[in-house]
Amino acid sequence: QQIGVSDSEPQTIAVKAKLANILILQSKNEEALELFTEIDKNTEQWSQKRRELFVLNGSRVDVLYKIGKINDGIEIAQKILNRQIQRFGEKHFESAYARGDLGRGYQLIGKPDEAIKEYQKAIPILVGSLGEKAEEDDVTVLAARKVKLQALVENYISLLNHQGDLPRAISDGFSFFFKSSTIANSFSFKSIDA
């Protein structure tokens, strides 16, 4: 007779996923990957759609990249991108985040042309999304978007620089920085005035 909650209950899986995210923030990537492996095992009997919520996520991609399983990360990033495009469309910020993660994977395995292509599609959408529904968004959501955008822009600029295209890296960097700062500042002023 089992006492307590089963390892395959949604509540248990959700707690494990949150714990994995905490471990990632603490740079305990191997431990986070162990939790993701447990999640995979404990959700084997779930429907594909339900399971994807926990199996296909950016945190898992991030861990796989950090521990050197880049091809595995790219495979998941591509599946996430396909799912987000199907759910939200090509121009939605959720699709753009997934595209940025895919670009990062390409950058890590030495496919700069593919990475640049993904970054160039993702970053303008993400810059524009900083102002979307700003009145309704939690300030922490906007902050998280800015942090993710900053990381993607830094990766993109670094990649252009390594490709020997410093003028473009500087030009694009200033352009993205100016646009995102202007949008973020207008959000801050709207929040204060409200």
Side-chain angles (χ1 to χ4, degrees):
Q1 176 180 349
Q2 180 177 339
I3 299 175
V5 180
S6 163
D7 286 342
S8 63
E9 287 295 317
Q11 300 88 339
T12 305
I13 301 301
V15 169
K16 285 182 180 183
K18 287 180 183 181
L19 180 56
N21 287 330
I22 291 168
L23 291 170
I24 292 166
L25 292 173
Q26 295 174 340
S27 297
K28 296 179 179 177
N29 298 308
E30 295 288 343
E31 293 175 46
L33 187 59
E34 287 176 23
L35 280 174
F36 285 133
T37 302
E38 285 181 30
I39 289 169
D40 291 347
K41 181 182 171 207
N42 296 328
T43 60
E44 286 176 343
Q45 302 303 313
W46 289 18
S47 69
Q48 180 181 350
K49 189 173 183 178
R50 185 177 179 202
R51 189 171 192 256
E52 281 182 356
L53 295 172
F54 294 99
V55 174
L56 299 182
N57 64 65
S59 297
R60 185 182 295 242
V61 171
D62 190 42
V63 165
L64 290 169
Y65 288 167
K66 287 178 180 176
I67 65 169
K69 295 186 175 190
I70 299 165
N71 287 322
D72 293 343
I74 289 172
E75 182 181 334
I76 292 174
Q78 184 65 62
K79 288 178 181 178
I80 294 169
L81 175 59
N82 294 342
R83 179 188 68 194
Q84 301 302 58
I85 290 171
Q86 186 178 20
R87 287 175 67 189
F88 301 112
E90 184 84 30
K91 304 276 186 197
H92 193 273
F93 69 87
E94 292 289 348
S95 302
Y97 283 132
R99 189 174 294 286
D101 284 342
L102 181 60
R104 184 167 154 236
Y106 287 144
Q107 183 176 2
L108 291 169
I109 62 167
K111 292 187 173 182
D113 294 337
E114 289 92 336
I116 288 170
K117 183 180 95 175
E118 299 301 340
Y119 287 144
Q120 288 175 337
K121 288 181 181 178
I123 293 171
I125 294 168
L126 294 173
V127 168
S129 78
L130 287 176
E132 286 181 11
K133 299 181 184 174
E135 296 83 19
E136 301 167 19
D137 282 343
D138 184 330
V139 176
T140 58
V141 172
L142 181 65
R145 286 185 191 175
K146 277 187 74 172
V147 168
K148 180 79 169 187
L149 173 61
Q150 179 180 344
L152 291 176
V153 170
E154 288 172 0
N155 289 339
Y156 173 65
I157 291 170
S158 172
L159 180 58
L160 288 177
N161 186 37
H162 282 96
Q163 292 294 105
D165 199 350
L166 184 60
R168 184 173 176 193
I170 292 170
S171 172
D172 285 0
F174 278 124
S175 174
F176 293 138
F177 173 77
F178 179 75
K179 288 176 186 173
S180 64
S181 294
T182 302
I183 292 167
N185 285 337
S186 70
F187 170 75
S188 297
F189 292 127
K190 286 179 189 174
S191 297
I192 293 170
D193 292 340

PDB file of all heavy atoms in Angstrom, residues 117-145:
ATOM      1  N   LYS A 117      21.162  33.049 -38.611  1.00  0.00           N
ATOM      2  CA  LYS A 117      19.819  33.059 -39.210  1.00  0.00           C
ATOM      3  C   LYS A 117      18.732  33.009 -38.129  1.00  0.00           C
ATOM      4  O   LYS A 117      17.762  33.773 -38.165  1.00  0.00           O
ATOM      5  CB  LYS A 117      19.682  31.871 -40.166  1.00  0.00           C
ATOM      6  CG  LYS A 117      18.366  31.807 -40.909  1.00  0.00           C
ATOM      7  CD  LYS A 117      18.320  30.609 -41.834  1.00  0.00           C
ATOM      8  CE  LYS A 117      17.626  29.491 -41.089  1.00  0.00           C
ATOM      9  NZ  LYS A 117      17.385  28.284 -41.851  1.00  0.00           N
ATOM     10  N   GLU A 118      18.912  32.129 -37.142  1.00  0.00           N
ATOM     11  CA  GLU A 118      17.915  31.996 -36.072  1.00  0.00           C
ATOM     12  C   GLU A 118      17.881  33.256 -35.198  1.00  0.00           C
ATOM     13  O   GLU A 118      16.809  33.733 -34.836  1.00  0.00           O
ATOM     14  CB  GLU A 118      18.186  30.756 -35.223  1.00  0.00           C
ATOM     15  CG  GLU A 118      18.124  29.445 -35.987  1.00  0.00           C
ATOM     16  CD  GLU A 118      16.794  29.156 -36.652  1.00  0.00           C
ATOM     17  OE1 GLU A 118      15.758  29.735 -36.271  1.00  0.00           O
ATOM     18  OE2 GLU A 118      16.783  28.319 -37.587  1.00  0.00           O
ATOM     19  N   TYR A 119      19.053  33.778 -34.841  1.00  0.00           N
ATOM     20  CA  TYR A 119      19.108  34.995 -34.022  1.00  0.00           C
ATOM     21  C   TYR A 119      18.445  36.168 -34.745  1.00  0.00           C
ATOM     22  O   TYR A 119      17.717  36.958 -34.137  1.00  0.00           O
ATOM     23  CB  TYR A 119      20.547  35.371 -33.678  1.00  0.00           C
ATOM     24  CG  TYR A 119      21.220  34.494 -32.654  1.00  0.00           C
ATOM     25  CD1 TYR A 119      22.578  34.199 -32.753  1.00  0.00           C
ATOM     26  CD2 TYR A 119      20.537  33.974 -31.564  1.00  0.00           C
ATOM     27  CE1 TYR A 119      23.225  33.421 -31.800  1.00  0.00           C
ATOM     28  CE2 TYR A 119      21.162  33.189 -30.614  1.00  0.00           C
ATOM     29  CZ  TYR A 119      22.508  32.915 -30.742  1.00  0.00           C
ATOM     30  OH  TYR A 119      23.134  32.148 -29.801  1.00  0.00           O
ATOM     31  N   GLN A 120      18.701  36.300 -36.052  1.00  0.00           N
ATOM     32  CA  GLN A 120      18.136  37.415 -36.803  1.00  0.00           C
ATOM     33  C   GLN A 120      16.617  37.341 -36.903  1.00  0.00           C
ATOM     34  O   GLN A 120      15.958  38.367 -37.025  1.00  0.00           O
ATOM     35  CB  GLN A 120      18.762  37.491 -38.201  1.00  0.00           C
ATOM     36  CG  GLN A 120      20.189  37.986 -38.166  1.00  0.00           C
ATOM     37  CD  GLN A 120      20.851  37.960 -39.528  1.00  0.00           C
ATOM     38  OE1 GLN A 120      20.454  37.211 -40.421  1.00  0.00           O
ATOM     39  NE2 GLN A 120      21.881  38.776 -39.689  1.00  0.00           N
ATOM     40  N   LYS A 121      16.072  36.151 -36.858  1.00  0.00           N
ATOM     41  CA  LYS A 121      14.612  36.010 -36.849  1.00  0.00           C
ATOM     42  C   LYS A 121      14.048  36.261 -35.454  1.00  0.00           C
ATOM     43  O   LYS A 121      12.966  36.816 -35.304  1.00  0.00           O
ATOM     44  CB  LYS A 121      14.201  34.609 -37.307  1.00  0.00           C
ATOM     45  CG  LYS A 121      14.403  34.361 -38.784  1.00  0.00           C
ATOM     46  CD  LYS A 121      13.955  32.949 -39.144  1.00  0.00           C
ATOM     47  CE  LYS A 121      14.151  32.638 -40.603  1.00  0.00           C
ATOM     48  NZ  LYS A 121      13.756  31.249 -40.914  1.00  0.00           N
ATOM     49  N   ALA A 122      14.772  35.835 -34.424  1.00  0.00           N
ATOM     50  CA  ALA A 122      14.259  35.894 -33.050  1.00  0.00           C
ATOM     51  C   ALA A 122      14.359  37.269 -32.405  1.00  0.00           C
ATOM     52  O   ALA A 122      13.402  37.744 -31.794  1.00  0.00           O
ATOM     53  CB  ALA A 122      14.982  34.865 -32.177  1.00  0.00           C
ATOM     54  N   ILE A 123      15.507  37.888 -32.511  1.00  0.00           N
ATOM     55  CA  ILE A 123      15.780  39.095 -31.721  1.00  0.00           C
ATOM     56  C   ILE A 123      14.817  40.246 -32.021  1.00  0.00           C
ATOM     57  O   ILE A 123      14.288  40.856 -31.093  1.00  0.00           O
ATOM     58  CB  ILE A 123      17.262  39.507 -31.837  1.00  0.00           C
ATOM     59  CG1 ILE A 123      18.137  38.437 -31.150  1.00  0.00           C
ATOM     60  CG2 ILE A 123      17.495  40.887 -31.220  1.00  0.00           C
ATOM     61  CD1 ILE A 123      19.632  38.598 -31.364  1.00  0.00           C
ATOM     62  N   PRO A 124      14.543  40.579 -33.282  1.00  0.00           N
ATOM     63  CA  PRO A 124      13.588  41.680 -33.520  1.00  0.00           C
ATOM     64  C   PRO A 124      12.209  41.419 -32.906  1.00  0.00           C
ATOM     65  O   PRO A 124      11.575  42.347 -32.387  1.00  0.00           O
ATOM     66  CB  PRO A 124      13.510  41.762 -35.048  1.00  0.00           C
ATOM     67  CG  PRO A 124      14.799  41.188 -35.527  1.00  0.00           C
ATOM     68  CD  PRO A 124      15.129  40.092 -34.544  1.00  0.00           C
ATOM     69  N   ILE A 125      11.751  40.185 -32.952  1.00  0.00           N
ATOM     70  CA  ILE A 125      10.456  39.846 -32.345  1.00  0.00           C
ATOM     71  C   ILE A 125      10.517  40.049 -30.843  1.00  0.00           C
ATOM     72  O   ILE A 125       9.601  40.610 -30.233  1.00  0.00           O
ATOM     73  CB  ILE A 125      10.055  38.395 -32.691  1.00  0.00           C
ATOM     74  CG1 ILE A 125       9.807  38.272 -34.195  1.00  0.00           C
ATOM     75  CG2 ILE A 125       8.824  37.966 -31.893  1.00  0.00           C
ATOM     76  CD1 ILE A 125       9.694  36.832 -34.690  1.00  0.00           C
ATOM     77  N   LEU A 126      11.617  39.620 -30.228  1.00  0.00           N
ATOM     78  CA  LEU A 126      11.755  39.753 -28.776  1.00  0.00           C
ATOM     79  C   LEU A 126      11.879  41.212 -28.357  1.00  0.00           C
ATOM     80  O   LEU A 126      11.315  41.614 -27.339  1.00  0.00           O
ATOM     81  CB  LEU A 126      12.954  38.937 -28.277  1.00  0.00           C
ATOM     82  CG  LEU A 126      12.790  37.432 -28.434  1.00  0.00           C
ATOM     83  CD1 LEU A 126      14.081  36.715 -28.069  1.00  0.00           C
ATOM     84  CD2 LEU A 126      11.633  36.919 -27.600  1.00  0.00           C
ATOM     85  N   VAL A 127      12.593  42.003 -29.149  1.00  0.00           N
ATOM     86  CA  VAL A 127      12.689  43.438 -28.839  1.00  0.00           C
ATOM     87  C   VAL A 127      11.299  44.056 -28.886  1.00  0.00           C
ATOM     88  O   VAL A 127      10.901  44.784 -27.980  1.00  0.00           O
ATOM     89  CB  VAL A 127      13.647  44.155 -29.822  1.00  0.00           C
ATOM     90  CG1 VAL A 127      13.529  45.672 -29.691  1.00  0.00           C
ATOM     91  CG2 VAL A 127      15.087  43.724 -29.580  1.00  0.00           C
ATOM     92  N   GLY A 128      10.531  43.731 -29.925  1.00  0.00           N
ATOM     93  CA  GLY A 128       9.171  44.252 -30.041  1.00  0.00           C
ATOM     94  C   GLY A 128       8.249  43.759 -28.946  1.00  0.00           C
ATOM     95  O   GLY A 128       7.342  44.468 -28.523  1.00  0.00           O
ATOM     96  N   SER A 129       8.490  42.545 -28.446  1.00  0.00           N
ATOM     97  CA  SER A 129       7.596  41.973 -27.440  1.00  0.00           C
ATOM     98  C   SER A 129       7.764  42.610 -26.070  1.00  0.00           C
ATOM     99  O   SER A 129       6.905  42.440 -25.205  1.00  0.00           O
ATOM    100  CB  SER A 129       7.811  40.460 -27.321  1.00  0.00           C
ATOM    101  OG  SER A 129       8.973  40.161 -26.580  1.00  0.00           O
ATOM    102  N   LEU A 130       8.840  43.348 -25.864  1.00  0.00           N
ATOM    103  CA  LEU A 130       9.032  43.988 -24.556  1.00  0.00           C
ATOM    104  C   LEU A 130       7.896  44.944 -24.227  1.00  0.00           C
ATOM    105  O   LEU A 130       7.566  45.143 -23.070  1.00  0.00           O
ATOM    106  CB  LEU A 130      10.368  44.735 -24.494  1.00  0.00           C
ATOM    107  CG  LEU A 130      11.608  43.870 -24.403  1.00  0.00           C
ATOM    108  CD1 LEU A 130      12.857  44.741 -24.455  1.00  0.00           C
ATOM    109  CD2 LEU A 130      11.608  43.032 -23.139  1.00  0.00           C
ATOM    110  N   GLY A 131       7.292  45.514 -25.256  1.00  0.00           N
ATOM    111  CA  GLY A 131       6.204  46.453 -25.015  1.00  0.00           C
ATOM    112  C   GLY A 131       4.819  45.847 -25.098  1.00  0.00           C
ATOM    113  O   GLY A 131       3.832  46.518 -24.827  1.00  0.00           O
ATOM    114  N   GLU A 132       4.710  44.562 -25.470  1.00  0.00           N
ATOM    115  CA  GLU A 132       3.401  43.929 -25.608  1.00  0.00           C
ATOM    116  C   GLU A 132       2.703  43.782 -24.262  1.00  0.00           C
ATOM    117  O   GLU A 132       3.287  43.286 -23.303  1.00  0.00           O
ATOM    118  CB  GLU A 132       3.548  42.530 -26.233  1.00  0.00           C
ATOM    119  CG  GLU A 132       3.845  42.556 -27.697  1.00  0.00           C
ATOM    120  CD  GLU A 132       3.954  41.156 -28.278  1.00  0.00           C
ATOM    121  OE1 GLU A 132       3.595  40.178 -27.588  1.00  0.00           O
ATOM    122  OE2 GLU A 132       4.410  41.052 -29.422  1.00  0.00           O
ATOM    123  N   LYS A 133       1.456  44.199 -24.220  1.00  0.00           N
ATOM    124  CA  LYS A 133       0.625  44.044 -23.030  1.00  0.00           C
ATOM    125  C   LYS A 133       1.351  44.516 -21.769  1.00  0.00           C
ATOM    126  O   LYS A 133       1.206  43.929 -20.711  1.00  0.00           O
ATOM    127  CB  LYS A 133       0.177  42.590 -22.864  1.00  0.00           C
ATOM    128  CG  LYS A 133      -0.651  42.076 -24.017  1.00  0.00           C
ATOM    129  CD  LYS A 133      -1.067  40.653 -23.784  1.00  0.00           C
ATOM    130  CE  LYS A 133      -1.807  40.124 -24.990  1.00  0.00           C
ATOM    131  NZ  LYS A 133      -2.102  38.716 -24.875  1.00  0.00           N
ATOM    132  N   ALA A 134       2.130  45.559 -21.905  1.00  0.00           N
ATOM    133  CA  ALA A 134       2.951  46.026 -20.786  1.00  0.00           C
ATOM    134  C   ALA A 134       2.117  46.426 -19.571  1.00  0.00           C
ATOM    135  O   ALA A 134       2.535  46.238 -18.449  1.00  0.00           O
ATOM    136  CB  ALA A 134       3.824  47.202 -21.224  1.00  0.00           C
ATOM    137  N   GLU A 135       0.926  46.953 -19.810  1.00  0.00           N
ATOM    138  CA  GLU A 135       0.099  47.381 -18.685  1.00  0.00           C
ATOM    139  C   GLU A 135      -0.349  46.191 -17.839  1.00  0.00           C
ATOM    140  O   GLU A 135      -0.548  46.298 -16.648  1.00  0.00           O
ATOM    141  CB  GLU A 135      -1.129  48.162 -19.160  1.00  0.00           C
ATOM    142  CG  GLU A 135      -0.812  49.470 -19.851  1.00  0.00           C
ATOM    143  CD  GLU A 135      -0.478  49.289 -21.328  1.00  0.00           C
ATOM    144  OE1 GLU A 135      -0.811  48.241 -21.925  1.00  0.00           O
ATOM    145  OE2 GLU A 135       0.155  50.194 -21.888  1.00  0.00           O
ATOM    146  N   GLU A 136      -0.537  45.026 -18.489  1.00  0.00           N
ATOM    147  CA  GLU A 136      -1.048  43.850 -17.791  1.00  0.00           C
ATOM    148  C   GLU A 136       0.056  42.972 -17.213  1.00  0.00           C
ATOM    149  O   GLU A 136      -0.174  42.213 -16.295  1.00  0.00           O
ATOM    150  CB  GLU A 136      -1.881  43.006 -18.772  1.00  0.00           C
ATOM    151  CG  GLU A 136      -3.049  43.762 -19.350  1.00  0.00           C
ATOM    152  CD  GLU A 136      -3.646  43.018 -20.533  1.00  0.00           C
ATOM    153  OE1 GLU A 136      -3.415  41.819 -20.677  1.00  0.00           O
ATOM    154  OE2 GLU A 136      -4.343  43.670 -21.316  1.00  0.00           O
ATOM    155  N   ASP A 137       1.254  43.037 -17.788  1.00  0.00           N
ATOM    156  CA  ASP A 137       2.324  42.129 -17.385  1.00  0.00           C
ATOM    157  C   ASP A 137       2.876  42.452 -16.015  1.00  0.00           C
ATOM    158  O   ASP A 137       3.015  43.603 -15.620  1.00  0.00           O
ATOM    159  CB  ASP A 137       3.483  42.186 -18.393  1.00  0.00           C
ATOM    160  CG  ASP A 137       3.192  41.393 -19.652  1.00  0.00           C
ATOM    161  OD1 ASP A 137       2.278  40.566 -19.617  1.00  0.00           O
ATOM    162  OD2 ASP A 137       3.898  41.605 -20.642  1.00  0.00           O
ATOM    163  N   ASP A 138       3.202  41.422 -15.312  1.00  0.00           N
ATOM    164  CA  ASP A 138       3.937  41.519 -14.064  1.00  0.00           C
ATOM    165  C   ASP A 138       5.327  42.063 -14.396  1.00  0.00           C
ATOM    166  O   ASP A 138       5.918  41.706 -15.405  1.00  0.00           O
ATOM    167  CB  ASP A 138       4.024  40.103 -13.467  1.00  0.00           C
ATOM    168  CG  ASP A 138       4.688  40.061 -12.122  1.00  0.00           C
ATOM    169  OD1 ASP A 138       5.565  40.895 -11.846  1.00  0.00           O
ATOM    170  OD2 ASP A 138       4.331  39.165 -11.345  1.00  0.00           O
ATOM    171  N   VAL A 139       5.859  42.917 -13.558  1.00  0.00           N
ATOM    172  CA  VAL A 139       7.183  43.491 -13.776  1.00  0.00           C
ATOM    173  C   VAL A 139       8.233  42.384 -13.867  1.00  0.00           C
ATOM    174  O   VAL A 139       9.189  42.489 -14.637  1.00  0.00           O
ATOM    175  CB  VAL A 139       7.527  44.504 -12.662  1.00  0.00           C
ATOM    176  CG1 VAL A 139       8.942  45.028 -12.820  1.00  0.00           C
ATOM    177  CG2 VAL A 139       6.541  45.655 -12.683  1.00  0.00           C
ATOM    178  N   THR A 140       8.054  41.296 -13.133  1.00  0.00           N
ATOM    179  CA  THR A 140       9.029  40.201 -13.194  1.00  0.00           C
ATOM    180  C   THR A 140       9.005  39.518 -14.552  1.00  0.00           C
ATOM    181  O   THR A 140      10.039  39.038 -15.018  1.00  0.00           O
ATOM    182  CB  THR A 140       8.775  39.157 -12.080  1.00  0.00           C
ATOM    183  OG1 THR A 140       7.456  38.642 -12.213  1.00  0.00           O
ATOM    184  CG2 THR A 140       8.963  39.759 -10.714  1.00  0.00           C
ATOM    185  N   VAL A 141       7.856  39.478 -15.211  1.00  0.00           N
ATOM    186  CA  VAL A 141       7.778  38.892 -16.551  1.00  0.00           C
ATOM    187  C   VAL A 141       8.585  39.745 -17.522  1.00  0.00           C
ATOM    188  O   VAL A 141       9.360  39.231 -18.331  1.00  0.00           O
ATOM    189  CB  VAL A 141       6.310  38.759 -17.016  1.00  0.00           C
ATOM    190  CG1 VAL A 141       6.223  38.338 -18.475  1.00  0.00           C
ATOM    191  CG2 VAL A 141       5.566  37.781 -16.122  1.00  0.00           C
ATOM    192  N   LEU A 142       8.422  41.059 -17.425  1.00  0.00           N
ATOM    193  CA  LEU A 142       9.191  41.963 -18.284  1.00  0.00           C
ATOM    194  C   LEU A 142      10.678  41.822 -18.000  1.00  0.00           C
ATOM    195  O   LEU A 142      11.493  41.777 -18.922  1.00  0.00           O
ATOM    196  CB  LEU A 142       8.748  43.416 -18.073  1.00  0.00           C
ATOM    197  CG  LEU A 142       9.485  44.438 -18.941  1.00  0.00           C
ATOM    198  CD1 LEU A 142       9.178  44.205 -20.411  1.00  0.00           C
ATOM    199  CD2 LEU A 142       9.126  45.845 -18.532  1.00  0.00           C
ATOM    200  N   ALA A 143      11.063  41.717 -16.743  1.00  0.00           N
ATOM    201  CA  ALA A 143      12.470  41.558 -16.379  1.00  0.00           C
ATOM    202  C   ALA A 143      13.037  40.260 -16.953  1.00  0.00           C
ATOM    203  O   ALA A 143      14.145  40.238 -17.496  1.00  0.00           O
ATOM    204  CB  ALA A 143      12.640  41.592 -14.870  1.00  0.00           C
ATOM    205  N   ALA A 144      12.282  39.187 -16.867  1.00  0.00           N
ATOM    206  CA  ALA A 144      12.739  37.902 -17.408  1.00  0.00           C
ATOM    207  C   ALA A 144      12.905  37.985 -18.925  1.00  0.00           C
ATOM    208  O   ALA A 144      13.864  37.459 -19.483  1.00  0.00           O
ATOM    209  CB  ALA A 144      11.762  36.796 -17.034  1.00  0.00           C
ATOM    210  N   ARG A 145      11.972  38.668 -19.595  1.00  0.00           N
ATOM    211  CA  ARG A 145      12.090  38.846 -21.045  1.00  0.00           C
ATOM    212  C   ARG A 145      13.355  39.622 -21.388  1.00  0.00           C
ATOM    213  O   ARG A 145      14.060  39.287 -22.334  1.00  0.00           O
ATOM    214  CB  ARG A 145      10.878  39.596 -21.601  1.00  0.00           C
ATOM    215  CG  ARG A 145       9.625  38.793 -21.671  1.00  0.00           C
ATOM    216  CD  ARG A 145       8.539  39.615 -22.346  1.00  0.00           C
ATOM    217  NE  ARG A 145       7.240  38.993 -22.207  1.00  0.00           N
ATOM    218  CZ  ARG A 145       6.128  39.554 -22.612  1.00  0.00           C
ATOM    219  NH1 ARG A 145       6.142  40.752 -23.178  1.00  0.00           N
ATOM    220  NH2 ARG A 145       4.983  38.933 -22.448  1.00  0.00           N
TER     221      ARG A 145
END
